[in-house]
Amino acid sequence: MSQDSGVAESSDDHHGSLEEKDYPSPNLDTSGDSKSGEDSSFESGSEAESDNEEAKPEKTTPQANSKTQKHVEEWEDKELPTQHYNSESNKIQSHCEHCNAENKHNELVTPRLLSRGQFLLKVDGEGTYQCTETGLIFEVNGKVDIKYCVLSWSKYSDLIVKPWAVGGPLFDVKCDPLCLTSIQFPHSLCLGHRDANMTFKVFHVKSTGASLEYTVDHSATHVKWRVSSLSPVGPVVQSEETVFHHGAVILYKAIDHNPSLSFRVYVATNNESFIKDISKSVKHSSKKFMKIDKPPVCQKLLQNGKKYRLISEPEAEITPEEIEFVDGSLLKLKSYIEVYLEQPVEFKLLLVEMDSEEIVWKAKLRECDWVQHHQNQNISKSSTSGNRRRKMSSSLPDEMVYDKRMKQIDSSDGVKTKTLTDTQLFNLAEKLGKEWLKIAIANLKLNISEIDAIREKEDNVTISKFKMLKKWQEKEQNNATAQNLCNCLKNVDSVEVQDVLRGFLQET
């Protein structure tokens, strides 16, 4: 791939659906925007970041050395700290003190979730707005509707060659480009004090090809880009020094009728494109899996080429026992570690950096983490008619599909009762006071891991309360009615809360 093969940069928008599309295989134009004193070219070459094949390692028996075993024993009754999960940059939040040090003054906005993983953000006027779901920051000069979604980097793996590497999620953004002044993309790197020899650019795919474009600036959490036209865009990075990644560990449990336990453990960069690829890979697996909600953020930065060991207490079959970390954003097949236990017992998992023997991530898994899912399976099996209705509605506009989803009907008792809408739940969330955590556990029967998962992903307290109510609604499914919620909260000593609940009953 050479610069001669590139085509002139076009300012035309790339039109089409926001879902991940089969874009034409673009030639890479590295001319970018003109800016003196900077080199905007890719190095030619055919070096690949990594093989797209997943390793098939042999099963080994975990053997922790004495220092690591001491870590396991000392951690017997400790939980991960929750106060670190307060960054605004990623959906799975970073705990890094350096990256959280910057003061954010952007207006936080929650987009509407449309079909196929797309978001719709409606803003009423000029300003700078930060999406609470993706971390994207939009600078607009007037009223505008913005549609966007997360894409996979693997489609463009042949265009990202050394010395360049993925710096954060890839997005497809669609709106009137004249109304959108700039976009700030969240990146998954920890710059610390090491960004002097680091260069960010924006990988920009258009109908005529792909190019690298100059950034306006970058911070500890974001890369700012002046909008030229809209199409798939995302940050890439070139560094003369070691790159440090914010990491995440994602857990999935196999669903079957065997008494044994089988898990997939993914070690990933805290990058939404990477994490979405993992979710898609699990979804299309021949086996059925459920996601286990545990604090995912690594407490120590990950480095390419570093070796890590996964340890189980009590002992389990772990395959492979050791891994060498690479940023797998560009790989179509995502590597994982398999954990197998013959008996369904509580156990602990630790990811340890082999050089330093420091614990990078840890979690305690209990039977309650997956039992609830199995109890809900029987309920979900009776929803085949609802699935048919959803398939029929796939051709409807996104907003109509959304509104229809918010008005599901419960006919379990022969009486048609509307389930609660997002607007109703948000109104209730605004009225809940400091006792909302107690309400979540004592009244709504949510467990502490579910609450921690909500709090680590969301810094806005009202949004956390709203997501807590949504979690209750998700677990209750067809029973998530106004009457049921009133029964759950009848002992809550708040006039405002009770007034809102009475309003719900009158509306039904």
Side-chain angles (χ1 to χ4, degrees):
M1 188 176 356
S2 66
Q3 186 166 337
D4 293 336
S5 65
V7 295
E9 180 178 345
S10 169
S11 60
D12 295 336
D13 292 352
H14 185 85
H15 296 284
S17 171
L18 275 179
E19 62 180 320
E20 192 170 337
K21 307 175 282 292
D22 289 327
Y23 290 104
S25 297
N27 294 319
L28 187 61
D29 175 16
T30 59
S31 58
D33 297 334
S34 60
K35 186 173 180 180
S36 61
E38 294 195 36
D39 179 16
S40 62
S41 64
F42 274 93
E43 283 188 6
S44 299
S46 59
E47 288 185 286
E49 284 287 340
S50 178
D51 188 358
N52 276 5
E53 296 287 332
E54 286 192 68
K56 297 181 179 179
E58 299 180 356
K59 290 190 176 183
T60 59
T61 302
Q63 295 292 333
N65 62 27
S66 58
K67 187 175 180 181
T68 302
Q69 187 63 33
K70 183 178 179 181
H71 282 315
V72 175
E73 293 169 356
E74 289 178 347
W75 181 63
E76 182 70 33
D77 298 313
K78 294 180 180 178
E79 294 289 343
L80 285 173
T82 57
Q83 66 269 23
H84 294 300
Y85 302 99
N86 57 1
S87 169
E88 298 170 355
S89 61
N90 290 314
K91 194 169 182 179
I92 295 184
Q93 307 298 338
S94 165
H95 77 281
C96 179
E97 293 180 2
H98 170 78
C99 297
N100 294 340
E102 296 190 346
N103 292 321
K104 300 294 181 181
H105 302 291
N106 307 311
E107 181 176 345
L108 295 176
V109 288
T110 300
R112 174 181 291 183
L113 177 62
L114 305 178
S115 60
R116 299 181 297 278
Q118 301 176 67
F119 297 101
L120 172 63
L121 185 63
K122 294 175 175 283
V123 296
D124 295 327
E126 181 179 359
T128 303
Y129 304 89
Q130 181 165 357
C131 171
T132 59
E133 294 297 310
T134 63
L136 282 171
I137 300 175
F138 300 103
E139 182 184 357
V140 303
N141 56 26
K143 183 177 180 179
V144 66
D145 293 352
I146 309 171
K147 285 186 178 181
Y148 49 100
C149 66
V150 179
L151 299 180
S152 172
W153 278 102
S154 61
K155 184 184 292 287
Y156 309 104
S157 59
D158 59 333
L159 297 177
I160 309 297
V161 296
K162 293 181 178 179
W164 295 94
V166 170
L170 182 70
F171 294 95
D172 194 9
V173 182
K174 186 175 178 65
C175 78
D176 182 353
L178 297 178
C179 297
L180 190 55
T181 306
S182 71
I183 301 175
Q184 294 183 46
F185 303 98
H187 62 74
S188 55
L189 309 178
C190 180
L191 305 188
H193 302 289
R194 299 175 289 271
D195 62 346
N197 297 316
M198 189 174 289
T199 302
F200 281 97
K201 288 193 178 175
V202 169
F203 178 74
H204 188 183
V205 182
K206 293 174 285 190
S207 57
T208 55
S211 64
L212 286 181
E213 297 186 0
Y214 286 105
T215 61
V216 176
D217 195 6
H218 69 265
S219 69
T221 57
H222 285 76
V223 176
K224 186 175 182 178
W225 172 68
R226 190 80 61 189
V227 174
S228 56
S229 63
L230 292 174
S231 53
V233 281
V236 293
V237 63
Q238 176 182 341
S239 177
E240 298 177 9
E241 301 177 0
T242 302
V243 175
F244 293 83
H245 297 271
H246 293 299
V249 176
I250 315 296
L251 300 175
Y252 287 90
K253 179 190 177 294
I255 301 173
D256 52 38
H257 299 292
N258 298 321
S260 58
L261 301 177
S262 179
F263 296 85
R264 285 187 180 184
V265 181
Y266 291 87
V267 182
T269 56
N270 197 341
N271 172 335
E272 279 203 60
S273 289
F274 197 158
I275 294 167
K276 183 179 179 181
D277 282 349
I278 291 173
S279 177
K280 186 180 295 185
S281 174
V282 171
K283 182 179 179 181
H284 290 93
S285 172
S286 58
K287 296 181 179 180
K288 290 185 178 181
F289 289 87
M290 64 170 290
K291 190 172 184 295
I292 302 296
D293 288 325
K294 290 294 175 183
V297 177
C298 293
Q299 301 300 297
K300 181 177 171 63
L301 300 172
L302 301 178
Q303 298 179 51
N304 279 351
K306 281 272 188 181
K307 290 188 176 181
Y308 299 87
R309 175 191 295 124
L310 189 67
I311 298 170
S312 172
E313 176 67 29
E315 187 176 290
E317 291 184 37
I318 298 179
T319 312
E321 183 188 35
E322 301 172 359
I323 62 168
E324 181 176 319
F325 176 76
V326 294
D327 178 8
S329 298
L330 295 173
L331 304 181
K332 188 163 186 176
L333 297 178
K334 308 302 183 185
S335 298
Y336 63 87
I337 303 171
E338 181 186 48
V339 177
Y340 176 81
L341 294 95
E342 289 188 359
Q343 299 299 325
V345 297
E346 291 187 0
F347 67 104
K348 292 168 284 190
L349 286 177
L350 294 88
L351 185 68
V352 177
E353 184 182 280
M354 293 181 62
D355 287 347
S356 65
E357 291 296 342
E358 293 183 12
I359 295 176
V360 175
W361 170 90
K362 55 193 176 183
K364 186 170 185 177
L365 284 81
R366 307 170 180 87
E367 189 176 3
C368 61
D369 291 324
W370 55 82
V371 167
Q372 181 65 43
H373 176 86
H374 293 297
Q375 292 174 346
N376 289 337
Q377 288 298 298
N378 293 332
I379 299 175
S380 62
K381 287 179 182 177
S382 64
S383 62
T384 53
S385 61
N387 290 334
R388 287 197 294 271
R389 286 195 296 272
R390 283 194 290 274
K391 289 179 181 178
M392 292 175 62
S393 67
S394 61
S395 60
L396 297 174
D398 291 324
E399 291 159 76
M400 290 181 64
V401 172
Y402 174 85
D403 291 335
K404 194 171 183 179
R405 187 169 66 246
M406 292 298 102
K407 298 176 181 177
Q408 296 171 346
I409 303 299
D410 174 23
S411 56
S412 58
D413 296 323
V415 180
K416 294 187 176 181
T417 308
K418 291 183 179 179
T419 57
L420 294 163
T421 67
D422 276 6
T423 300
Q424 289 175 311
L425 293 180
F426 192 84
N427 289 339
L428 178 59
E430 290 182 312
K431 302 302 181 184
L432 295 176
K434 295 180 180 179
E435 75 283 359
W436 72 278
L437 291 174
K438 179 181 177 182
I439 291 172
I441 297 171
N443 298 78
L444 301 183
K445 308 303 180 184
L446 301 183
N447 59 56
I448 191 64
S449 63
E450 292 171 327
I451 302 302
D452 287 344
I454 292 171
R455 296 177 69 190
E456 75 189 37
K457 295 177 184 178
E458 185 51 65
D459 203 30
N460 186 294
V461 177
T462 301
I463 299 299
S464 293
K465 297 174 187 177
F466 168 71
K467 289 187 176 181
M468 175 267 291
L469 294 170
K470 288 293 291 181
K471 174 61 71 172
W472 169 83
Q473 186 182 57
E474 175 186 331
K475 294 178 72 171
E476 291 294 316
Q477 296 194 0
N478 290 341
N479 291 324
T481 62
Q483 184 62 62
N484 190 14
L485 184 58
C486 288
N487 292 339
C488 291
L489 303 183
K490 63 183 179 181
N491 294 328
V492 175
D493 187 17
S494 168
V495 175
E496 290 184 326
V497 169
Q498 296 303 327
D499 285 345
V500 171
L501 293 173
R502 280 191 291 271
F504 291 173
L505 294 176
Q506 293 172 0
E507 291 173 11
T508 59

